[in-house]
Amino acid sequence: DSNTDINLVDESSPIIQAFKQYQNELDTKHDKHERLVKLSRDVTLESKRVIFLLQRIAGGTDENKNNVLKEADTKLQAIQDDHFRKIALELDGEDPYQFLKAYTAGMQEYIEAVTFFQYHKDQSLTNHLTIQRQLQFTQNCPTDETSNSTLPNVENPKLPKLDIQDQPVKPLDSASCESSYHDSQISAIKTIEVLVTPLDYILGVADLTGEIMRLAINSVKTGNANFLFQLCDFMREIHNAFISFGNIHREIRRKLNVLQQSLKKVETACYTLQIRGSEIPKHMLADVLSGKTMD
Amino acid sequence: DSNTDINLVDESSPIIQAFKQYQNELDTKHDKHERLVKLSRDVTLESKRVIFLLQRIAGGTDENKNNVLKEADTKLQAIQDDHFRKIALELDGEDPYQFLKAYTAGMQEYIEAVTFFQYHKDQSLTNHLTIQRQLQFTQNCPTDETSNSTLPNVENPKLPKLDIQDQPVKPLDSASCESSYHDSQISAIKTIEVLVTPLDYILGVADLTGEIMRLAINSVKTGNANFLFQLCDFMREIHNAFISFGNIHREIRRKLNVLQQSLKKVETACYTLQIRGSEIPKHMLADVLSGKTMD
Amino acid sequence: MSQISTTSDIFTDFRQFLNADQELREDIRVKVRDLEQTARDILTILQAVHQPEGIKECSAICEKAKSKFDIIRTQLTALIAVIPQGQYYRFHDHWRFLLQRLVFLVAFIEYLETETLVTRESISEVLAIHVVRDDGFHIDLEDFLMGLLQMSSELSRLAINAVTAEDFSRPMRIAKFVGELDSGFRLLNLKNDSLRKRFDALKYDVKKIEEVVYDLTIRGLKPKTEVKETKE
Amino acid sequence: MSQISTTSDIFTDFRQFLNADQELREDIRVKVRDLEQTARDILTILQAVHQPEGIKECSAICEKAKSKFDIIRTQLTALIAVIPQGQYYRFHDHWRFLLQRLVFLVAFIEYLETETLVTRESISEVLAIHVVRDDGFHIDLEDFLMGLLQMSSELSRLAINAVTAEDFSRPMRIAKFVGELDSGFRLLNLKNDSLRKRFDALKYDVKKIEEVVYDLTIRGLKPKTEVKETKE
Amino acid sequence: MSQISTTSDIFTDFRQFLNADQELREDIRVKVRDLEQTARDILTILQAVHQPEGIKECSAICEKAKSKFDIIRTQLTALIAVIPQGQYYRFHDHWRFLLQRLVFLVAFIEYLETETLVTRESISEVLAIHVVRDDGFHIDLEDFLMGLLQMSSELSRLAINAVTAEDFSRPMRIAKFVGELDSGFRLLNLKNDSLRKRFDALKYDVKKIEEVVYDLTIRGLKPKTEVKETKE
Amino acid sequence: MSQISTTSDIFTDFRQFLNADQELREDIRVKVRDLEQTARDILTILQAVHQPEGIKECSAICEKAKSKFDIIRTQLTALIAVIPQGQYYRFHDHWRFLLQRLVFLVAFIEYLETETLVTRESISEVLAIHVVRDDGFHIDLEDFLMGLLQMSSELSRLAINAVTAEDFSRPMRIAKFVGELDSGFRLLNLKNDSLRKRFDALKYDVKKIEEVVYDLTIRGLKPKTEVKETKE
Amino acid sequence: MSQISTTSDIFTDFRQFLNADQELREDIRVKVRDLEQTARDILTILQAVHQPEGIKECSAICEKAKSKFDIIRTQLTALIAVIPQGQYYRFHDHWRFLLQRLVFLVAFIEYLETETLVTRESISEVLAIHVVRDDGFHIDLEDFLMGLLQMSSELSRLAINAVTAEDFSRPMRIAKFVGELDSGFRLLNLKNDSLRKRFDALKYDVKKIEEVVYDLTIRGLKPKTEVKETKE
Amino acid sequence: MSQISTTSDIFTDFRQFLNADQELREDIRVKVRDLEQTARDILTILQAVHQPEGIKECSAICEKAKSKFDIIRTQLTALIAVIPQGQYYRFHDHWRFLLQRLVFLVAFIEYLETETLVTRESISEVLAIHVVRDDGFHIDLEDFLMGLLQMSSELSRLAINAVTAEDFSRPMRIAKFVGELDSGFRLLNLKNDSLRKRFDALKYDVKKIEEVVYDLTIRGLKPKTEVKETKE
Ligand SMILES: [Mn+2]
Ligand SMILES: [Mn+2]
């Protein structure tokens, strides 16, 4: 639209006609990339805050743990329903790998947050498919709201993974709701998603170990050896898996280094707890540390 | 607000009370930084498009020059009135240097665009003060619009530079208009600005020379030796100024290298034009190149 | 229910993914290398147009070059067969340069034969691939544009060698064509990437060709019959 | 009208700016260096608390350290005098580490004397600077927090040395204080910056102090009188 | 005319040579990759010794790891078969890290089983390759030393984890062993290269293990029956 | 006890080995440096062909340059004498650039004298080394090709300077020769390495020479008597 | 007790020494900075020779530049005064680039005025410093050579701009002069350092100037009256 | 004509100078390498003090180490002989690390023997070199300080190992000594350079030793007879 009114060149030339089309395509792509970068930055920021929130749980026995988990859950839900839904709309009908660089940073931070949350909940590692399903959405437009804030009508379907739809969706900022609403009239409800690549998943898990390490160090003072040893086992499992992967990807290699440092820190923490406990009988240890005796 | 409902710690502790305040301050600052980064990215993108638009003027004699300049002017005006006005609102009451890193990239690209525009207009270099004045705004809120697009009531005052106001302005995304409207009821019309640092100005000018070089190479084919020599003189003037600056700043030094390469390219273009012209009498040259003879 | 897997399962899965990925990439790499070899062969054939005698046997050279595209199509089909649906850009870096090269070759032949700018449609047809992404294996727009830029460099070289071969009208036509291409590129808003850098080089190609036109003009070697109607 | 200036004028102006800027930075650099020297002297005085005898002469040591703050205030006033209005962050890197160090020193003295956490207000008072940015030369919040983190490292060292000096109640009080500080820091949302990194180190300080408490506890060396009411 | 054919003929020869060379490299690359995968599998098996239960089942773990060396030997034989005579160093970079890793694995197993330092002879035997260069495929001395240094890092980690597993005598024995290794390396005149850098890490490992011994000593956990009964 | 002596003994052996190795490298380094100096001297002699008068005294210059090859042969013999059997590639990086330079020099002289492309056999003869790897010290094919590419840059410079010296037929012959070389290189399947990068420079050299031919053509300076009479 | 005072006394001495040292460095830094500013001013003056009109007023420009050397001499004298005997190289890095720049400036002026190569003696005279190291403050040979290399880059640029200013004989003379300089540098046995790297740029400058001469030759612009009348 | 010979003559001079210079550097390099080897041998001897038995045979170990200093002195004399007057700092980087290492060795022996801080005078005496710069070959103060810092790391390690060897009083004395050293360094106004960075490591050493003292204290292992009887 912007430059068409300028008559610099021979408008009738087929070359010029073709390049006008190219201009349009390029601008559309760059604009979409830019919007995705911004959404990704938002995801990063919000995910980081979830992680910090979860780090506020002291050890494995905190009495406020449930409250924290509830708040973290709400925040994660908001990231999915707000930011990721917008990303999914942008990516609808696209080859997601084309725009991967634009949102990979946010995705990895989000995976770190989600897996950390899950670990707090039940000491398990969230699998790839679960995370992918959380980022699938039915497209169902609110009637006439213009704001970007809460989208009450969006449902997170927890459906089995679907193929990416072919139909492209108009960018959000040009009255996207209308046009996508229009689409849905034709095609009924459809499912859109943000692709979680296996590499992003595993790099997010690598980052998770950094947070596990922080959690472990924080937990030493509780003297809960079992909890600490459990964290150490979990880290070892991830570590052993990573060393079996091989030199596939530069990023994995780089993160393995960090992971090894973190594991050493946790192993040293276990060592400290063990050697500290060696000076009194085992059964007294927990009491001492929980402050139940000798005060 | 977000974390206050979690009762992890002794709320009555003065330490905890203090840190709640710190949390609030830090989050506010990070959020503002984030908003500025995004605005800066927009400025970069829009400024780049202005530069590309201006590069479409062929040589110094293009008949569509006026149309292009008019469109570029409109676009620059939009960057000022839209993006920079928002940046100014964010920075109102702040030490602009605190957030400089967040918007310096956009600022430099904008300066490159503005100075390139000015050079096309009258072959002069826009001075620092002029650019600064274009980024001063009277704060005057439109009555009830919620969109961010056109702000018809904003006036660009071209007033002498004013000191930065002390009064802080609420961030844009929480119904900023209302609150700033409220402010203006108290304090009448006030002037806000985005600071243009001398360093950003000069680095923008350094980038300008890259565009001047492209313009010069494009102009060789017109055979307008005067125009080319004029560009070369302009670049030499900037170059000679830069070599007199000294090793003050790493960025300046780095850009001086690029500038020297660009100057060599333009000097070589002048050389080519000269040596090419040597094979026929001077007075025939322009005719030959404009295609007026021999066809 | 299947959703809950042990940590060990997760990593076993991922390792399988990595192995499969590596094999796939290996496969792609080999196939792309073969294609690059064929593309190089075609280019070597086309180099003949720069020889004094070559410019006159332009169509024979083009025919010879085109006969090789059967191989290209076969090799491309084999490549496409291994790429999973919707993952073109996952492996983009593997064939980015190959496709730019192929665009260049097809565009160069098209120019030599018809003196017109190739369209994405023609290229897709010649290579037997899709035009737009939605339909499958296609050519990324930026790669297409890079290919065109490579062609203009080759044309600026051809303008020089045409004069050596005493074909004085060709540089005129090349000048007009490349000039239009340059105008087209100026319409684009590029980022500071390789495309922008390559486009900057186009200015020098244009300048070079303009100098040839100038040289011919001042020596009265410019053909009287104008460039208006390009031969087709 | 004055707005239109020649290119030459513009660059002359900028060169003047650069020269003025360089001189100003030079001036700041020298003034900050002097402040750093004084801060180092104060720290050396405070080091005495780690000596076996030192812990008992805590208040004398603090008095001696505090007497040096006159110099600090004078030097700070001289520094502030040269900084242009509203350009604190322009030169932030020049004094960032100095202010962190000063916060640490004031906070450490405050703790030694009252066993409470210093407030930004107290620090501003001691240093005779402003609390908030709007009022002028102040301490950036992140620098303030860095200073507190430096203090907790020093306190973890003090807990160790207090035991050596056979003061068994102090580590208990330090443990409670640093524990609270740790809880405070956990409320913050940090970026991946130096503050985050430094905060990660705090975990190890906390751990160290907890180990001292543990060592005292299992040996029955923990004083009966509880840590509840910190002496003030 | 004859010149054309000559140049072209010569380069056709070169082309064949270069293609064969590239295929050889490809072949080596694939074979090395397979070896690396097996080596990684062995390493993963050995990681179990760091588990609290693992240290007690040391010999079972070693047996399991050793059973994989059949694969290694087969894969190595296949690799060696494709390397032309006298060109070991031409492809050295391809397998340098692999061989360091294999030395580390063999040396680590040897230590776990016998608590002695592996010799180059044993390694050659286990891998079924030559000891000295002149005889064919061998292990470069610097690669051998790098492997030993990798082992000492793993041992320093094991010393820590042994304590966690309440095996208090093992760190004593590790300390003695790594100390001797350190003395050995001090005899060498290392250049400023990767080996030197890695050796600096060994010094750090030694200190780390000394601290473990210290921790055990001061808590009276040092086993009374001295290190005497280690196999020597 | 025996363990200590063993480790120590083993490392004493290693020390001797490493020291001997380091001395060998030092020895090679010095010998290569001397060769580089002689090569530089030969190059300086050959530079004279770029002078206006030089091009006419081509054969005298070549004779002078060739007389220096006695020294080269003596120095090479000394170098070869110290290299252990089968370790050519172990020290390849030490003489890689030297050999490329020597190939360039021999090839350049050969071209100046006969206007033909040197063969690997001739080079081996001039340098008194082996042609193929299996026989001993030889020139790696990639180094040989690098040497040829260096020569073509020098020839493109010579084409320019020949025009200055008003020798208008030489650029024609150079164009033909370098064109053939270019076709030869196009046959090769080069990896993305230094050779490929250097080959890209050849394309630039070809273009440069084509422009010289163009300049001569358009100004009617191209000799009418065709390139036929070049020595072949 | 005496030990304490001893350590403390010793370090008090060190403190004084280090402080004095730091002040000296500060002093040198400021003095060098001033010299650099003057050198930059001279360079800016000399830039005028690249202007179309400038080349004709060469001697006026040189006079203007030379008048600034009084300041240089005064500033250098002040600098030399503070450097302790025998510590030239201790602070070499402080003035290394300054001296290279000064050599360049003096050499460039000398060339513009007399078209000869400046000697180290002339430079010492102009700057009023010593020629040889033993006598005191001097110019390191490598810095002198770097200065000459800077000059040849400037001359290659001047050759281009002289043509633009329609002075067609100057490029001829520059070509001859820079050619001699190139031959001179080829005599040297340069290490792989910054000098070697800079010398590679000279080779490029030489080629550039040869192309200018070529351009003039082919267009018949080479002045018939040869370079004879330059002062020699 | 005369110009050519002049440039050439000048550069021939330069060539001789540069060659001589390069040989000198080579000579220094070899001599420094030999010294480093001897220093390494001395360090290996001294490592014995960290062994459980070693700490008791401290003076025998020191004697053995000191006997090697004859070699050091001879090698140093040979080195000094080749350094031109007033060019110590020209080659400073060649021996900077060697001298730091030598200072460390002498200071460590001195401490082991007398438990006092070595003076620069003693070091000069032991090494038979000058104390102050003006007299000739000396030790730069910063290198001296670096040597002391290396010693304190070694002492912190010794404190750990002394406990392992059940020598519980030595850590007390080391704590006192290193504490004084720390106070000394705090007096200095260090720049942000390698010395400052190394000094930060000293703070860590001090903390480490304090923790040893703490461990001894809390377990009642601190010798009742206070540190009084240390030799002074
Ligand atoms: Mn994280
Ligand atoms: Mn630009």
Side-chain angles (χ1 to χ4, degrees), chain B residues 13 19 22-23 25 27 29-30 93-95 97-98 125 127 130 133 198 201-202 241 244-245 248, chain D residues 3 5 7-8 10-11 14-15 17 22 86 88-90 120 133 142 144 180 183-184 187-189 191:
Chain B
S13 151
F19 272 83
Y22 304 156
Q23 180 194 41
E25 280 184 40
D27 287 354
K29 195 183 88 177
H30 292 170
E94 304 285 353
D95 178 342
Y97 286 98
Q98 188 175 8
L125 180 63
N127 69 15
T130 305
R133 284 196 182 148
Y201 171 73
I202 215 74
S244 80
F245 289 160
I248 307 293
Chain D
Q3 239 173 272
S5 40
T7 310
S8 163
I10 289 172
F11 289 115
F14 183 70
R15 188 164 161 177
F17 162 80
Q22 192 172 358
Y88 178 90
Y89 285 103
R90 183 168 166 212
R120 284 192 282 178
R133 194 195 67 74
E142 301 193 17
F144 173 75
E180 243 179 292
S183 302
L187 290 177
L188 306 179
N189 293 312
K191 286 179 300 178

Side-chain angles (χ1 to χ4, degrees), chain B residues 51 109 112 207 211 214, chain C residues 196:
Chain B
I51 291 167
E109 198 74 35
E112 186 181 343
D207 289 339
E211 301 303 331
R214 289 193 179 90
Chain C
R196 170 89 196 260

Side-chain angles (χ1 to χ4, degrees), chain A residues 85-155:
Chain A
R85 188 179 178 283
K86 287 184 196 159
I87 294 177
L89 282 168
E90 292 285 356
L91 293 178
D92 186 24
E94 303 285 353
D95 177 341
Y97 286 98
Q98 187 174 9
F99 298 98
L100 194 59
K101 268 188 207 131
Y103 71 89
T104 191
M107 176 61 85
Q108 288 179 28
E109 198 75 34
Y110 168 76
I111 290 166
E112 186 182 344
V114 163
T115 51
F116 195 41
F117 170 74
Q118 182 74 27
Y119 188 81
H120 270 295
K121 255 176 66 180
D122 62 5
Q123 288 75 55
S124 76
L125 180 62
T126 324
N127 68 17
H128 180 223
L129 188 57
T130 306
I131 293 175
Q132 178 64 78
R133 282 194 185 151
Q134 285 168 355
L135 302 184
Q136 289 169 332
F137 309 90
T138 51
Q139 206 180 327
N140 187 356
C141 192
T143 42
D144 75 8
E145 281 191 17
T146 49
S147 96
N148 305 329
S149 56
T150 50
L151 295 163
N153 291 348
V154 165
E155 265 180 298

